[in-house]
Amino acid sequence: MTEPRGDRPHVPGYGIPTTLDGTLPWSWARERLEAAIVYWLATTGADGAPHIIPIWGAWVGDRWYVEARPTRWQRNLRENPRMAIHIEIGDQVVIVEGTATEHVAPGPPLRDEILAGYAKYKAAKGYEASADHWTHGGLWELRPLKAFAWSVFPDDMTRFRFDPA
């Protein structure tokens, strides 16, 4: 996967600079996505009602993976595969928007990479992910289309655009 292109979003009235000076590199956003413990997941049902929840996940290979038993957000994604996540790290903001795909029993090396991404929860929360949970689905991948990041708003606000794959 190629690095996303960074630029500035156009948001009138917020004082976002128009030059690329001071924008954040994608590596800054990736580090925070990989380290995050809590992500806020946003989905929308067929009726247009938003649904937002805090959830655990793993950022692996510039994709986000999330697992769960049958839930409202999974039903939403089956009806409308668009989703967004936001990391919960105070003033260090990373928001990723994209589309979701459900996986059933992924094999190596993807399975092993996802499990390695979830390893952060063993020390932090006493949880160890298991590929056995994914034999009938319930593992979702976020394929990013765009992302936004900043630590000093609006000075370093950066938009990242991903090439569709």
Side-chain angles (χ1 to χ4, degrees):
M1 179 175 190
T2 60
E3 292 277 310
R5 297 175 312 285
D7 64 11
R8 297 283 193 173
H10 177 70
V11 186
Y14 282 89
I16 298 170
T18 56
T19 70
L20 294 181
D21 295 338
T23 56
L24 296 167
W26 176 243
S27 59
W28 184 92
R30 181 187 293 127
E31 289 170 6
R32 281 140 188 88
L33 286 161
E34 289 171 350
I37 297 296
V38 176
Y39 303 82
W40 285 87
L41 167 64
T43 63
T44 304
D47 63 355
H51 181 63
I52 301 172
I53 61 162
I55 196 164
W56 298 347
W59 188 265
V60 176
D62 281 342
R63 301 280 194 270
W64 184 65
Y65 296 89
V66 60
E67 62 176 7
R69 303 281 187 237
T71 60
R72 178 176 169 195
W73 65 262
Q74 287 191 43
R75 288 189 304 275
N76 286 352
L77 290 176
R78 287 185 182 107
E79 295 173 1
N80 177 355
R82 293 183 296 176
M83 67 189 302
I85 61 169
H86 179 304
I87 60 169
E88 186 175 270
I89 305 182
D91 293 338
Q92 298 179 14
V93 175
V94 182
I95 302 165
V96 182
E97 300 174 2
T99 57
T101 302
E102 187 172 15
H103 290 272
V104 176
L110 180 59
R111 176 196 63 216
D112 301 329
E113 292 168 352
I114 296 169
L115 290 171
Y118 266 93
K120 62 188 173 186
Y121 293 104
K122 186 165 186 176
K125 302 291 183 179
Y127 174 75
E128 189 167 2
S130 171
D132 294 341
H133 298 160
W134 313 332
T135 57
H136 301 291
L139 175 69
W140 291 83
E141 173 189 275
L142 165 62
R143 182 175 301 264
L145 297 172
K146 63 183 166 182
F148 301 89
W150 66 87
S151 63
V152 180
F153 185 86
D155 301 342
D156 62 358
M157 186 173 192
T158 307
R159 174 178 51 198
F160 298 97
R161 296 177 199 228
F162 294 79
D163 290 328

